[in-house]
């Protein structure tokens, strides 16, 4: 029987168990795929730990993967057995060798985009598209601040922003991670542990601040991030790897700052059929044109708990994946 990683209650990585998975025949509008890769993302950690609620009845983790179609249900158009596909979004279930899911969720891969690349990029890539085209439509010459720029989301946001002609200021947690941010195209890399990183960010960005700041750290970092943005700029708060975010008073955003604060969700973005199609098409085009999304850590499916522990502890860089 195919294998999967499941949880039945929230907790530490040790709550993740390798289980046998029954093969189900696809129903109307569904397809079954044999997976080769699954992305591992912080949202998976949030669900495993209980920070985010687990959808009722869904026990297998993971929102992102790629593989080959091996069966299709009635009413499915535009897909054939043998097609290579990738996906991101609800329902949960990518930590599995085989899965059945809505065919509308599947994106056919161009010949020159591998399952490995697409399956490790869909969530982060759609996040970048959401940030740079929807949250703040980025213009050439604008300044972007990207926190945790050695990580999976940080790297692809920095790379895509540079392809759009932006200037990128990256922050990292250690000198050892700075080289990864520079490789992603950052124009300047700062340690967010230094006392003057906020002032230095504003100085570099024309002494006015950045147009867009992407904060996936959360915790006490967000209040500092607000101070890096110029008037009428935008802060996108993506997550809270650094801990819960203290309450933000609306007065903190008003004059003289006059900035915006967004809490965008890539899963909500992917749940909108039109946005999902637009984002997936744009991502595939960028991947074909040379957008890079390096894999920094790779684990066998059975080692998913170790992947979570390493990602949560900050021991990884770039994208993290499970291979089947």
């Amino acid at each position: 029987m195919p294998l999967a990683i499941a949880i039945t209650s929230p907790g530490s990585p040790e709550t993740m168990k390798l289980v046998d998975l029954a093969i189900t025949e696809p129903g109307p509008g569904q397809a079954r795929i044999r997976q080769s890769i699954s992305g591992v993302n912080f949202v998976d950690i949030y669900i495993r730990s209980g920070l985010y609620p687990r959808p009722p009845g869904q026990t297998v983790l993971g929102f992102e993967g790629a593989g080959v179609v091996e069966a299709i249900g009635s009413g499915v158009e535009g897909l054939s057995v043998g097609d290579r596909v990738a996906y991101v979004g609800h329902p949960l279930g990518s930590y599995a060798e085989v899965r059945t899911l809505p065919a509308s969720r599947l994106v056919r891969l161009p010949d020159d985009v591998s399952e490995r690349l697409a399956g490790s990029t869909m969530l982060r890539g759609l996040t970048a598209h959401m940030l740079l085209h929807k949250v703040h439509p980025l213009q050439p010459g604008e300044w972007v601040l990207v926190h945790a720029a050695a990580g999976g989301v940080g790297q692809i946001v920095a790379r895509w922003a540079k392809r759009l002609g932006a200037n990128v200021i990256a922050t990292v947690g250690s000198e050892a991670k700075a080289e990864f941010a520079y490789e992603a195209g950052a124009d300047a890399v700062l340690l967010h542990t230094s006392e003057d990183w906020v002032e230095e960010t504003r100085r570099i960005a024309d002494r006015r601040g950045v147009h867009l700041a992407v904060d996936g750290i959360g915790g006490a970092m967000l209040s500092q991030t607000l101070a890096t943005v110029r008037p009428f700029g935008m802060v996108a708060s993506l997550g809270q790897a650094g801990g819960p975010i203290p309450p933000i008073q609306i007065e903190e955003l008003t004059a003289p700052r006059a900035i915006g604060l967004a809490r965008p969700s890539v899963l909500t973005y992917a749940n909108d059929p039109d946005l999902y199609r637009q984002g997936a098409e744009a991502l595939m085009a960028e991947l074909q044109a040379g957008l890079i999304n390096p894999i920094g850590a790779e684990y066998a499916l059975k080692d998913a708990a170790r992947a979570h522990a390493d990602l949560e502890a900050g021991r990884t860089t770039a994208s993290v994946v499970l291979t089947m």
Side-chain angles (χ1 to χ4, degrees), residues 217-263:
I217 296 178
M221 179 63 72
L222 183 58
S223 63
Q224 297 179 71
T225 303
L226 296 175
T228 68
V229 179
R230 67 179 61 194
F232 306 105
M234 175 66 71
V235 175
S237 172
L238 287 182
Q240 47 203 72
I245 299 171
I248 300 292
Q249 300 296 322
I250 192 68
E251 290 80 10
E252 295 182 51
L253 311 179
T254 55
R257 282 181 173 171
I259 61 175
L261 173 61
R263 180 73 171 182

mmCIF file of all heavy atoms in Angstrom, residues 217-263:
data_model
loop_
_atom_site.group_PDB
_atom_site.id
_atom_site.type_symbol
_atom_site.label_atom_id
_atom_site.label_comp_id
_atom_site.label_asym_id
_atom_site.label_seq_id
_atom_site.Cartn_x
_atom_site.Cartn_y
_atom_site.Cartn_z
ATOM 1 N N ILE A 217 8.450 36.646 9.693
ATOM 2 C CA ILE A 217 8.997 36.309 11.010
ATOM 3 C C ILE A 217 7.962 36.513 12.107
ATOM 4 O O ILE A 217 7.783 35.677 12.989
ATOM 5 C CB ILE A 217 10.255 37.143 11.309
ATOM 6 C CG1 ILE A 217 11.360 36.791 10.303
ATOM 7 C CG2 ILE A 217 10.736 36.893 12.734
ATOM 8 C CD1 ILE A 217 12.625 37.596 10.476
ATOM 9 N N GLY A 218 7.246 37.637 12.049
ATOM 10 C CA GLY A 218 6.239 37.901 13.063
ATOM 11 C C GLY A 218 6.861 38.220 14.403
ATOM 12 O O GLY A 218 7.939 38.804 14.484
ATOM 13 N N GLY A 219 6.188 37.805 15.480
ATOM 14 C CA GLY A 219 6.673 38.116 16.816
ATOM 15 C C GLY A 219 6.856 39.616 16.988
ATOM 16 O O GLY A 219 6.076 40.425 16.484
ATOM 17 N N ALA A 220 7.930 39.982 17.686
ATOM 18 C CA ALA A 220 8.221 41.396 17.910
ATOM 19 C C ALA A 220 8.798 42.076 16.671
ATOM 20 O O ALA A 220 8.924 43.306 16.634
ATOM 21 C CB ALA A 220 9.198 41.544 19.073
ATOM 22 N N MET A 221 9.138 41.283 15.639
ATOM 23 C CA MET A 221 9.744 41.850 14.439
ATOM 24 C C MET A 221 8.789 42.764 13.684
ATOM 25 O O MET A 221 9.212 43.774 13.102
ATOM 26 C CB MET A 221 10.209 40.718 13.516
ATOM 27 C CG MET A 221 10.835 41.177 12.207
ATOM 28 S SD MET A 221 12.344 42.116 12.473
ATOM 29 C CE MET A 221 13.427 40.770 12.978
ATOM 30 N N LEU A 222 7.505 42.451 13.687
ATOM 31 C CA LEU A 222 6.582 43.205 12.845
ATOM 32 C C LEU A 222 6.558 44.691 13.188
ATOM 33 O O LEU A 222 6.523 45.535 12.287
ATOM 34 C CB LEU A 222 5.177 42.613 12.920
ATOM 35 C CG LEU A 222 4.140 43.278 12.014
ATOM 36 C CD1 LEU A 222 4.563 43.221 10.552
ATOM 37 C CD2 LEU A 222 2.772 42.621 12.195
ATOM 38 N N SER A 223 6.591 45.026 14.470
ATOM 39 C CA SER A 223 6.557 46.442 14.838
ATOM 40 C C SER A 223 7.780 47.178 14.316
ATOM 41 O O SER A 223 7.708 48.364 13.953
ATOM 42 C CB SER A 223 6.458 46.601 16.355
ATOM 43 O OG SER A 223 7.603 46.072 16.999
ATOM 44 N N GLN A 224 8.925 46.495 14.244
ATOM 45 C CA GLN A 224 10.124 47.109 13.668
ATOM 46 C C GLN A 224 9.984 47.230 12.148
ATOM 47 O O GLN A 224 10.402 48.226 11.551
ATOM 48 C CB GLN A 224 11.356 46.268 13.994
ATOM 49 C CG GLN A 224 11.654 46.157 15.486
ATOM 50 C CD GLN A 224 12.876 45.297 15.741
ATOM 51 O OE1 GLN A 224 14.003 45.688 15.457
ATOM 52 N NE2 GLN A 224 12.647 44.100 16.263
ATOM 53 N N THR A 225 9.408 46.216 11.525
ATOM 54 C CA THR A 225 9.230 46.241 10.079
ATOM 55 C C THR A 225 8.377 47.426 9.651
ATOM 56 O O THR A 225 8.636 48.052 8.616
ATOM 57 C CB THR A 225 8.588 44.926 9.602
ATOM 58 O OG1 THR A 225 9.406 43.828 10.012
ATOM 59 C CG2 THR A 225 8.452 44.901 8.085
ATOM 60 N N LEU A 226 7.366 47.762 10.439
ATOM 61 C CA LEU A 226 6.508 48.906 10.105
ATOM 62 C C LEU A 226 7.322 50.190 9.959
ATOM 63 O O LEU A 226 6.970 51.063 9.157
ATOM 64 C CB LEU A 226 5.437 49.100 11.174
ATOM 65 C CG LEU A 226 4.411 47.976 11.355
ATOM 66 C CD1 LEU A 226 3.498 48.282 12.538
ATOM 67 C CD2 LEU A 226 3.606 47.762 10.093
ATOM 68 N N ALA A 227 8.403 50.277 10.704
ATOM 69 C CA ALA A 227 9.216 51.491 10.698
ATOM 70 C C ALA A 227 10.125 51.595 9.481
ATOM 71 O O ALA A 227 10.780 52.626 9.290
ATOM 72 C CB ALA A 227 10.050 51.565 11.975
ATOM 73 N N THR A 228 10.185 50.561 8.653
ATOM 74 C CA THR A 228 11.082 50.589 7.491
ATOM 75 C C THR A 228 10.403 51.073 6.217
ATOM 76 O O THR A 228 11.062 51.243 5.189
ATOM 77 C CB THR A 228 11.644 49.182 7.206
ATOM 78 O OG1 THR A 228 10.580 48.318 6.765
ATOM 79 C CG2 THR A 228 12.308 48.592 8.434
ATOM 80 N N VAL A 229 9.091 51.306 6.285
ATOM 81 C CA VAL A 229 8.313 51.565 5.066
ATOM 82 C C VAL A 229 8.041 53.055 4.906
ATOM 83 O O VAL A 229 7.690 53.750 5.863
ATOM 84 C CB VAL A 229 6.988 50.779 5.113
ATOM 85 C CG1 VAL A 229 6.152 51.041 3.865
ATOM 86 C CG2 VAL A 229 7.271 49.286 5.251
ATOM 87 N N ARG A 230 8.193 53.524 3.681
ATOM 88 C CA ARG A 230 7.930 54.934 3.381
ATOM 89 C C ARG A 230 6.424 55.202 3.346
ATOM 90 O O ARG A 230 5.629 54.252 3.218
ATOM 91 C CB ARG A 230 8.566 55.322 2.047
ATOM 92 C CG ARG A 230 7.959 54.656 0.833
ATOM 93 C CD ARG A 230 8.638 55.124 -0.450
ATOM 94 N NE ARG A 230 10.061 54.790 -0.467
ATOM 95 C CZ ARG A 230 10.932 55.313 -1.339
ATOM 96 N NH1 ARG A 230 10.514 56.165 -2.261
ATOM 97 N NH2 ARG A 230 12.200 54.961 -1.292
ATOM 98 N N PRO A 231 6.004 56.453 3.432
ATOM 99 C CA PRO A 231 4.576 56.758 3.368
ATOM 100 C C PRO A 231 3.914 56.161 2.123
ATOM 101 O O PRO A 231 4.467 56.185 1.022
ATOM 102 C CB PRO A 231 4.551 58.292 3.327
ATOM 103 C CG PRO A 231 5.779 58.687 4.082
ATOM 104 C CD PRO A 231 6.810 57.655 3.701
ATOM 105 N N PHE A 232 2.745 55.596 2.337
ATOM 106 C CA PHE A 232 1.929 54.954 1.312
ATOM 107 C C PHE A 232 2.539 53.647 0.803
ATOM 108 O O PHE A 232 2.106 53.113 -0.208
ATOM 109 C CB PHE A 232 1.616 55.915 0.160
ATOM 110 C CG PHE A 232 0.991 57.193 0.631
ATOM 111 C CD1 PHE A 232 1.725 58.363 0.664
ATOM 112 C CD2 PHE A 232 -0.314 57.206 1.089
ATOM 113 C CE1 PHE A 232 1.160 59.542 1.143
ATOM 114 C CE2 PHE A 232 -0.883 58.379 1.567
ATOM 115 C CZ PHE A 232 -0.156 59.540 1.592
ATOM 116 N N GLY A 233 3.540 53.129 1.544
ATOM 117 C CA GLY A 233 4.057 51.804 1.253
ATOM 118 C C GLY A 233 3.208 50.744 1.939
ATOM 119 O O GLY A 233 2.182 51.031 2.565
ATOM 120 N N MET A 234 3.650 49.498 1.820
ATOM 121 C CA MET A 234 2.865 48.374 2.306
ATOM 122 C C MET A 234 3.741 47.386 3.063
ATOM 123 O O MET A 234 4.856 47.075 2.623
ATOM 124 C CB MET A 234 2.198 47.653 1.120
ATOM 125 C CG MET A 234 1.435 46.387 1.483
ATOM 126 S SD MET A 234 -0.017 46.701 2.519
ATOM 127 C CE MET A 234 -1.103 47.489 1.315
ATOM 128 N N VAL A 235 3.226 46.880 4.174
ATOM 129 C CA VAL A 235 3.840 45.778 4.901
ATOM 130 C C VAL A 235 2.954 44.553 4.724
ATOM 131 O O VAL A 235 1.742 44.618 4.971
ATOM 132 C CB VAL A 235 3.992 46.086 6.403
ATOM 133 C CG1 VAL A 235 4.531 44.862 7.141
ATOM 134 C CG2 VAL A 235 4.922 47.273 6.612
ATOM 135 N N ALA A 236 3.533 43.441 4.292
ATOM 136 C CA ALA A 236 2.815 42.182 4.165
ATOM 137 C C ALA A 236 3.306 41.247 5.262
ATOM 138 O O ALA A 236 4.469 40.839 5.267
ATOM 139 C CB ALA A 236 3.052 41.565 2.790
ATOM 140 N N SER A 237 2.426 40.944 6.207
ATOM 141 C CA SER A 237 2.737 40.030 7.299
ATOM 142 C C SER A 237 2.296 38.635 6.890
ATOM 143 O O SER A 237 1.098 38.354 6.802
ATOM 144 C CB SER A 237 2.022 40.476 8.569
ATOM 145 O OG SER A 237 2.154 39.509 9.587
ATOM 146 N N LEU A 238 3.274 37.746 6.668
ATOM 147 C CA LEU A 238 2.976 36.431 6.099
ATOM 148 C C LEU A 238 2.815 35.334 7.131
ATOM 149 O O LEU A 238 2.139 34.346 6.884
ATOM 150 C CB LEU A 238 4.083 36.005 5.131
ATOM 151 C CG LEU A 238 4.150 36.699 3.786
ATOM 152 C CD1 LEU A 238 5.268 36.104 2.974
ATOM 153 C CD2 LEU A 238 2.828 36.561 3.044
ATOM 154 N N GLY A 239 3.512 35.436 8.235
ATOM 155 C CA GLY A 239 3.497 34.346 9.197
ATOM 156 C C GLY A 239 4.099 34.788 10.505
ATOM 157 O O GLY A 239 4.327 35.975 10.739
ATOM 158 N N GLN A 240 4.371 33.817 11.360
ATOM 159 C CA GLN A 240 4.898 34.139 12.673
ATOM 160 C C GLN A 240 5.854 33.065 13.146
ATOM 161 O O GLN A 240 5.705 32.506 14.237
ATOM 162 C CB GLN A 240 3.752 34.349 13.658
ATOM 163 C CG GLN A 240 2.668 33.284 13.632
ATOM 164 C CD GLN A 240 1.377 33.822 14.180
ATOM 165 O OE1 GLN A 240 0.705 34.642 13.548
ATOM 166 N NE2 GLN A 240 1.008 33.385 15.375
ATOM 167 N N ALA A 241 6.857 32.810 12.316
ATOM 168 C CA ALA A 241 7.878 31.839 12.696
ATOM 169 C C ALA A 241 8.596 32.258 13.969
ATOM 170 O O ALA A 241 9.121 31.414 14.703
ATOM 171 C CB ALA A 241 8.886 31.672 11.557
ATOM 172 N N GLY A 242 8.620 33.575 14.244
ATOM 173 C CA GLY A 242 9.290 34.093 15.430
ATOM 174 C C GLY A 242 8.390 34.199 16.645
ATOM 175 O O GLY A 242 8.800 34.752 17.663
ATOM 176 N N GLY A 243 7.175 33.696 16.548
ATOM 177 C CA GLY A 243 6.266 33.729 17.678
ATOM 178 C C GLY A 243 5.032 34.568 17.403
ATOM 179 O O GLY A 243 4.921 35.223 16.356
ATOM 180 N N PRO A 244 4.062 34.542 18.316
ATOM 181 C CA PRO A 244 2.822 35.310 18.143
ATOM 182 C C PRO A 244 3.093 36.794 17.959
ATOM 183 O O PRO A 244 4.041 37.343 18.517
ATOM 184 C CB PRO A 244 2.056 35.040 19.446
ATOM 185 C CG PRO A 244 2.638 33.770 19.984
ATOM 186 C CD PRO A 244 4.080 33.781 19.567
ATOM 187 N N ILE A 245 2.248 37.435 17.175
ATOM 188 C CA ILE A 245 2.399 38.863 16.898
ATOM 189 C C ILE A 245 1.600 39.663 17.910
ATOM 190 O O ILE A 245 0.393 39.463 18.052
ATOM 191 C CB ILE A 245 1.911 39.194 15.475
ATOM 192 C CG1 ILE A 245 2.742 38.423 14.442
ATOM 193 C CG2 ILE A 245 1.971 40.691 15.216
ATOM 194 C CD1 ILE A 245 2.207 38.520 13.038
ATOM 195 N N PRO A 246 2.249 40.582 18.636
ATOM 196 C CA PRO A 246 1.504 41.429 19.580
ATOM 197 C C PRO A 246 0.472 42.271 18.832
ATOM 198 O O PRO A 246 0.618 42.555 17.635
ATOM 199 C CB PRO A 246 2.593 42.311 20.190
ATOM 200 C CG PRO A 246 3.873 41.573 19.957
ATOM 201 C CD PRO A 246 3.693 40.853 18.659
ATOM 202 N N PRO A 247 -0.584 42.681 19.493
ATOM 203 C CA PRO A 247 -1.608 43.507 18.841
ATOM 204 C C PRO A 247 -1.005 44.775 18.232
ATOM 205 O O PRO A 247 -0.103 45.385 18.809
ATOM 206 C CB PRO A 247 -2.578 43.840 19.986
ATOM 207 C CG PRO A 247 -2.378 42.745 20.980
ATOM 208 C CD PRO A 247 -0.930 42.379 20.894
ATOM 209 N N ILE A 248 -1.502 45.124 17.065
ATOM 210 C CA ILE A 248 -1.087 46.343 16.376
ATOM 211 C C ILE A 248 -2.226 47.356 16.464
ATOM 212 O O ILE A 248 -3.367 47.057 16.093
ATOM 213 C CB ILE A 248 -0.754 46.071 14.900
ATOM 214 C CG1 ILE A 248 0.385 45.060 14.777
ATOM 215 C CG2 ILE A 248 -0.426 47.369 14.174
ATOM 216 C CD1 ILE A 248 1.724 45.559 15.242
ATOM 217 N N GLN A 249 -1.940 48.543 16.970
ATOM 218 C CA GLN A 249 -2.934 49.604 17.011
ATOM 219 C C GLN A 249 -2.999 50.298 15.655
ATOM 220 O O GLN A 249 -1.961 50.567 15.035
ATOM 221 C CB GLN A 249 -2.584 50.616 18.099
ATOM 222 C CG GLN A 249 -2.529 50.030 19.502
ATOM 223 C CD GLN A 249 -3.878 49.508 19.967
ATOM 224 O OE1 GLN A 249 -4.919 50.113 19.683
ATOM 225 N NE2 GLN A 249 -3.863 48.388 20.681
ATOM 226 N N ILE A 250 -4.201 50.590 15.197
ATOM 227 C CA ILE A 250 -4.359 51.222 13.889
ATOM 228 C C ILE A 250 -3.618 52.554 13.826
ATOM 229 O O ILE A 250 -3.136 52.969 12.756
ATOM 230 C CB ILE A 250 -5.855 51.411 13.558
ATOM 231 C CG1 ILE A 250 -6.042 51.784 12.085
ATOM 232 C CG2 ILE A 250 -6.485 52.449 14.472
ATOM 233 C CD1 ILE A 250 -5.701 50.681 11.127
ATOM 234 N N GLU A 251 -3.470 53.210 14.976
ATOM 235 C CA GLU A 251 -2.762 54.485 15.009
ATOM 236 C C GLU A 251 -1.300 54.343 14.615
ATOM 237 O O GLU A 251 -0.663 55.327 14.187
ATOM 238 C CB GLU A 251 -2.865 55.111 16.407
ATOM 239 C CG GLU A 251 -4.254 55.614 16.783
ATOM 240 C CD GLU A 251 -5.160 54.474 17.240
ATOM 241 O OE1 GLU A 251 -4.643 53.341 17.432
ATOM 242 O OE2 GLU A 251 -6.364 54.710 17.391
ATOM 243 N N GLU A 252 -0.745 53.128 14.745
ATOM 244 C CA GLU A 252 0.645 52.913 14.364
ATOM 245 C C GLU A 252 0.853 53.014 12.853
ATOM 246 O O GLU A 252 1.979 53.153 12.381
ATOM 247 C CB GLU A 252 1.114 51.539 14.850
ATOM 248 C CG GLU A 252 1.142 51.383 16.364
ATOM 249 C CD GLU A 252 1.671 50.026 16.778
ATOM 250 O OE1 GLU A 252 2.755 49.657 16.275
ATOM 251 O OE2 GLU A 252 1.021 49.332 17.578
ATOM 252 N N LEU A 253 -0.241 52.925 12.085
ATOM 253 C CA LEU A 253 -0.141 52.961 10.626
ATOM 254 C C LEU A 253 -0.447 54.331 10.045
ATOM 255 O O LEU A 253 -0.153 54.577 8.874
ATOM 256 C CB LEU A 253 -1.109 51.936 10.008
ATOM 257 C CG LEU A 253 -1.086 50.515 10.564
ATOM 258 C CD1 LEU A 253 -2.119 49.654 9.854
ATOM 259 C CD2 LEU A 253 0.309 49.902 10.424
ATOM 260 N N THR A 254 -1.021 55.193 10.844
ATOM 261 C CA THR A 254 -1.477 56.478 10.321
ATOM 262 C C THR A 254 -0.362 57.518 10.356
ATOM 263 O O THR A 254 0.777 57.229 10.700
ATOM 264 C CB THR A 254 -2.696 56.962 11.113
ATOM 265 O OG1 THR A 254 -2.371 56.993 12.517
ATOM 266 C CG2 THR A 254 -3.869 56.016 10.936
ATOM 267 N N ALA A 255 -0.712 58.743 9.987
ATOM 268 C CA ALA A 255 0.268 59.821 9.868
ATOM 269 C C ALA A 255 1.116 59.927 11.134
ATOM 270 O O ALA A 255 0.605 59.772 12.241
ATOM 271 C CB ALA A 255 -0.467 61.136 9.607
ATOM 272 N N PRO A 256 2.429 60.171 10.986
ATOM 273 C CA PRO A 256 3.113 60.502 9.728
ATOM 274 C C PRO A 256 3.505 59.298 8.877
ATOM 275 O O PRO A 256 4.039 59.475 7.778
ATOM 276 C CB PRO A 256 4.367 61.238 10.213
ATOM 277 C CG PRO A 256 4.678 60.561 11.509
ATOM 278 C CD PRO A 256 3.347 60.273 12.148
ATOM 279 N N ARG A 257 3.274 58.064 9.374
ATOM 280 C CA ARG A 257 3.657 56.905 8.571
ATOM 281 C C ARG A 257 2.781 56.770 7.315
ATOM 282 O O ARG A 257 3.288 56.640 6.217
ATOM 283 C CB ARG A 257 3.553 55.624 9.405
ATOM 284 C CG ARG A 257 4.725 55.422 10.365
ATOM 285 C CD ARG A 257 4.565 54.144 11.139
ATOM 286 N NE ARG A 257 5.754 53.854 11.938
ATOM 287 C CZ ARG A 257 5.812 52.895 12.844
ATOM 288 N NH1 ARG A 257 4.752 52.132 13.080
ATOM 289 N NH2 ARG A 257 6.927 52.688 13.526
ATOM 290 N N ALA A 258 1.466 56.732 7.500
ATOM 291 C CA ALA A 258 0.519 56.604 6.390
ATOM 292 C C ALA A 258 0.847 55.389 5.519
ATOM 293 O O ALA A 258 1.032 55.489 4.315
ATOM 294 C CB ALA A 258 0.505 57.882 5.545
ATOM 295 N N ILE A 259 0.911 54.211 6.170
ATOM 296 C CA ILE A 259 1.270 52.986 5.451
ATOM 297 C C ILE A 259 0.135 51.977 5.547
ATOM 298 O O ILE A 259 -0.811 52.124 6.316
ATOM 299 C CB ILE A 259 2.562 52.366 6.024
ATOM 300 C CG1 ILE A 259 2.387 51.991 7.501
ATOM 301 C CG2 ILE A 259 3.732 53.325 5.842
ATOM 302 C CD1 ILE A 259 3.580 51.257 8.084
ATOM 303 N N GLY A 260 0.239 50.926 4.738
ATOM 304 C CA GLY A 260 -0.732 49.851 4.747
ATOM 305 C C GLY A 260 -0.145 48.605 5.385
ATOM 306 O O GLY A 260 1.064 48.366 5.331
ATOM 307 N N LEU A 261 -1.026 47.787 5.989
ATOM 308 C CA LEU A 261 -0.631 46.511 6.574
ATOM 309 C C LEU A 261 -1.574 45.443 6.049
ATOM 310 O O LEU A 261 -2.793 45.547 6.205
ATOM 311 C CB LEU A 261 -0.690 46.563 8.100
ATOM 312 C CG LEU A 261 -0.470 45.240 8.849
ATOM 313 C CD1 LEU A 261 0.913 44.672 8.563
ATOM 314 C CD2 LEU A 261 -0.673 45.438 10.350
ATOM 315 N N ALA A 262 -1.011 44.412 5.419
ATOM 316 C CA ALA A 262 -1.808 43.317 4.862
ATOM 317 C C ALA A 262 -1.415 42.008 5.539
ATOM 318 O O ALA A 262 -0.261 41.824 5.933
ATOM 319 C CB ALA A 262 -1.582 43.210 3.354
ATOM 320 N N ARG A 263 -2.373 41.116 5.654
ATOM 321 C CA ARG A 263 -2.125 39.771 6.169
ATOM 322 C C ARG A 263 -2.614 38.795 5.088
ATOM 323 O O ARG A 263 -3.625 38.117 5.233
ATOM 324 C CB ARG A 263 -2.864 39.573 7.486
ATOM 325 C CG ARG A 263 -2.682 38.200 8.128
ATOM 326 C CD ARG A 263 -1.313 38.009 8.738
ATOM 327 N NE ARG A 263 -1.282 36.764 9.517
ATOM 328 C CZ ARG A 263 -0.236 36.335 10.203
ATOM 329 N NH1 ARG A 263 0.881 37.059 10.218
ATOM 330 N NH2 ARG A 263 -0.295 35.220 10.877
#
